[in-house]
Amino acid sequence: MSKTILIFYIVVIFISLNVFGQQKVFDGNPDTAFEVARELAFNKHRKQAQDSLLFILTKYPNYHDIRAFLASTYSWDSNYKKARKEFMYVLNKDPQRKTTWIAAINNELWSESPFKALELTTLALKHFPNNEEILLLKAKAQQNGKNPEDALATVEQVILLNPSNQKALDYKNSLINALSFNTIGLRAAVDLYSEVFDPMQLHTLKYSRQTKYGSLIAKVNFSRRFQENGMQFELDLYPKIANGLYAYLNVGFANTFLFPDFRYGAELYKSLPKSFEISAGFRALKYTSTTTIYTGSIGWYTGNSYWAFRTYITPNDNGISKSGTLNYRKYRKDADNYFSVAFGMGYSPEIDRFNFGGNENVIINLQSQNLNSGYYFSSKNNKNLWGSRFEIIHQEITFDPGNYFWIYSFVVSWEVKFR
């Protein structure tokens, strides 16, 4: 409908409403009035459209297409209670309206009432047994009601009915991914130095599990440096404390100078309005003596982008060492698929521990600049996750302060999720 004709119809509706405002019953062509009301609704004149639809229903209360469309407009406006009333009026009169069942179920899902949505799917399937679209809505209601196993069984029922249903196949993959609480991963990194040192290696084998209390990650780190080999064992915990509040806890042990003999740390994360998040905590590394590092961060999610700044502050006898890193991520389809770039200045034995040779008192005030970029992606079924990162570091030499070398770091990673 052209803009000119639409404006004309709007004027006609306004005049009609004023003329018949004193009347209690609509007097006109319901089909024509319904078409105009639809155009109003689809062109951001929802209130006028709803008034028109209600007026038509004074004469034609069982014109179900009109009442169902009125219910849909209420649902679009988040007036879910009003929408529910109109949908149920129609379905009680004519339960063979599949599109109305679907709209009514979606209304409950949008209103975050998954159990009401599940009740409606049960009723709808009595009239439309094995309907694939309604079954997928049932699965969504089950998932939103914290029953993902039941949702998976429902989706598998759809696939049995129609093995080529792509929506069901994609939904099954997403549910399996959501139910894959276990992950095993490998990470390999190599540092190439422009001066003095041979290439250095760090490899990590990790296992993680998601629980209702938070996640835990167990890691075994293997390092090859200075013609020596060494291993470290670490455990990371991310316990949930309250809505929008969680913590990070870390502990690690080693029996080699390539790693701290003992390390531990803790940090608290808090979500803020406007998609911000802040954190504050500390790390402690024990070699011949213990170095305590204080850290904090601020992050911001905006659309598919994430910005974060983290600083490390390390007090020592010669003053305070400070470092900071600004990180940017651009997400694609989910949190496992993104591109990242980061820039940092200053040296910290926490983030640069791979290059840490154990002489913490000497290197605590070293100068350093780094730039890195990474790309992370998943397989089609989201079971396998891959990542790669390249970093360039310009760092002051540990045993020759005032002189620098370049470090070129290459990292690849792989993880697989399973139930």
Side-chain angles (χ1 to χ4, degrees):
M1 182 178 290
S2 69
K3 186 175 181 180
T4 302
I5 296 175
L6 176 61
I7 293 173
F8 171 75
Y9 277 133
I10 293 174
V11 172
V12 170
I13 287 292
F14 285 162
I15 293 174
S16 299
L17 290 175
N18 288 329
V19 170
F20 297 109
Q22 303 302 317
Q23 298 180 352
K24 296 182 179 180
V25 179
F26 172 79
D27 183 14
N29 186 315
D31 297 328
T32 301
F34 182 27
E35 181 63 26
V36 174
R38 285 175 58 87
E39 292 294 337
L40 287 169
F42 291 132
N43 285 276
K44 300 180 181 180
H45 296 281
R46 203 108 77 207
K47 182 62 171 63
Q48 294 91 330
Q50 290 163 353
D51 289 342
S52 301
L53 295 167
L54 286 168
F55 191 41
I56 300 169
L57 290 172
T58 60
K59 177 68 178 292
Y60 303 95
N62 293 319
Y63 196 146
H64 297 322
D65 286 347
I66 291 178
R67 192 175 293 275
F69 184 74
L70 173 65
S72 293
T73 65
Y74 286 148
S75 190
W76 300 339
D77 290 341
S78 302
N79 292 324
Y80 304 117
K81 188 175 180 180
K82 281 187 176 182
R84 182 183 303 125
K85 177 183 176 182
E86 302 299 340
F87 279 132
M88 295 315 299
Y89 180 97
V90 173
L91 292 172
N92 287 332
K93 295 281 187 179
D94 183 5
Q96 298 301 316
R97 295 176 60 89
K98 184 179 72 173
T99 56
T100 305
W101 280 111
I102 291 171
I105 295 166
N106 277 318
N107 179 67
E108 301 302 339
L109 291 172
W110 296 339
S111 69
E112 299 182 357
S113 304
F115 299 109
K116 288 184 179 178
L118 189 57
E119 290 177 5
L120 288 183
T121 61
T122 301
L123 294 172
L125 287 169
K126 290 180 179 179
H127 301 282
F128 303 95
N130 295 326
N131 180 271
E132 296 172 25
E133 191 170 2
I134 295 174
L135 282 170
L136 288 178
L137 289 174
K138 178 182 178 180
K140 189 172 183 179
Q142 290 168 325
Q143 183 184 16
N144 291 359
K146 309 301 182 185
N147 293 296
E149 293 281 2
D150 292 344
L152 181 58
T154 301
V155 172
E156 288 176 338
Q157 180 183 347
V158 176
I159 294 173
L160 283 175
L161 293 168
N162 180 7
S164 62
N165 188 318
Q166 193 58 50
K167 284 186 178 180
L169 293 171
D170 292 342
Y171 195 5
K172 179 181 178 179
N173 286 336
S174 69
L175 283 170
I176 290 176
N177 185 54
L179 288 166
S180 298
F181 300 122
N182 301 283
T183 304
I184 290 179
L186 292 170
R187 182 180 182 273
V190 59
D191 278 7
L192 305 178
Y193 291 78
S194 63
E195 305 286 344
V196 182
F197 297 116
D198 292 332
M200 299 186 184
Q201 303 173 41
L202 177 65
H203 306 286
T204 299
L205 170 65
K206 77 171 187 177
Y207 165 74
S208 64
R209 177 168 177 80
Q210 299 288 333
T211 75
K212 64 180 180 180
Y213 304 108
S215 62
L216 63 87
I217 304 172
K219 294 184 288 187
V220 178
N221 300 312
F222 171 80
S223 180
R224 171 71 177 171
R225 285 183 285 168
F226 313 119
Q227 306 300 313
E228 296 284 345
N229 299 325
M231 296 182 68
Q232 179 191 52
F233 301 90
E234 279 190 279
L235 181 64
D236 294 334
L237 299 173
Y238 292 87
K240 298 176 183 177
I241 300 173
N243 187 30
L245 182 67
Y246 68 98
Y248 165 73
L249 303 173
N250 166 264
V251 63
F253 304 89
N255 187 22
T256 170
F257 76 94
L258 299 178
F259 293 103
D261 296 331
F262 179 54
R263 62 170 288 123
Y264 58 93
E267 191 162 357
L268 198 61
Y269 290 80
K270 179 70 176 74
S271 297
L272 299 176
K274 306 296 184 181
S275 301
F276 281 91
E277 182 183 67
I278 59 171
S279 72
F282 75 96
R283 311 286 189 268
L285 311 176
K286 183 182 184 304
Y287 287 89
T288 54
S289 62
T290 299
T291 299
T292 302
I293 308 155
Y294 300 97
T295 184
S297 69
I298 181 168
W300 179 45
Y301 292 91
T302 172
N304 292 329
S305 297
Y306 173 68
W307 293 89
F309 176 77
R310 176 174 288 278
T311 185
Y312 291 94
I313 299 173
T314 310
N316 67 93
D317 294 338
N318 299 318
I320 297 177
S321 175
K322 298 178 289 294
S323 69
T325 301
L326 178 64
N327 183 68
Y328 169 75
R329 290 183 181 180
K330 181 66 174 181
Y331 290 99
R332 294 164 57 220
K333 65 177 182 178
D334 56 31
D336 295 322
N337 292 263
Y338 62 91
F339 163 80
S340 71
V341 62
F343 173 74
M345 296 186 67
Y347 189 95
S348 169
E350 166 64 13
I351 58 176
D352 296 299
R353 56 182 170 147
F354 180 52
N355 308 315
F356 198 9
N359 193 1
E360 66 274 17
N361 292 325
V362 174
I363 69 171
I364 201 72
N365 290 312
L366 291 180
Q367 299 301 308
S368 178
Q369 304 85 38
N370 66 82
L371 177 67
N372 71 67
S373 178
Y375 182 68
Y376 301 84
F377 60 99
S378 64
S379 59
K380 187 176 181 181
N381 61 8
N382 294 319
K383 281 188 177 181
N384 292 276
L385 310 176
W386 289 277
S388 61
R389 192 185 74 178
F390 173 66
E391 183 172 17
I392 300 176
I393 304 168
H394 185 234
Q395 183 178 300
E396 197 170 6
I397 300 175
T398 304
F399 50 82
D400 191 10
N403 291 313
Y404 293 77
F405 52 25
W406 293 91
I407 306 173
Y408 307 96
S409 181
F410 301 87
V411 183
V412 293
S413 62
W414 168 75
E415 296 179 11
V416 60
K417 296 180 178 181
F418 61 97
R419 297 179 65 183

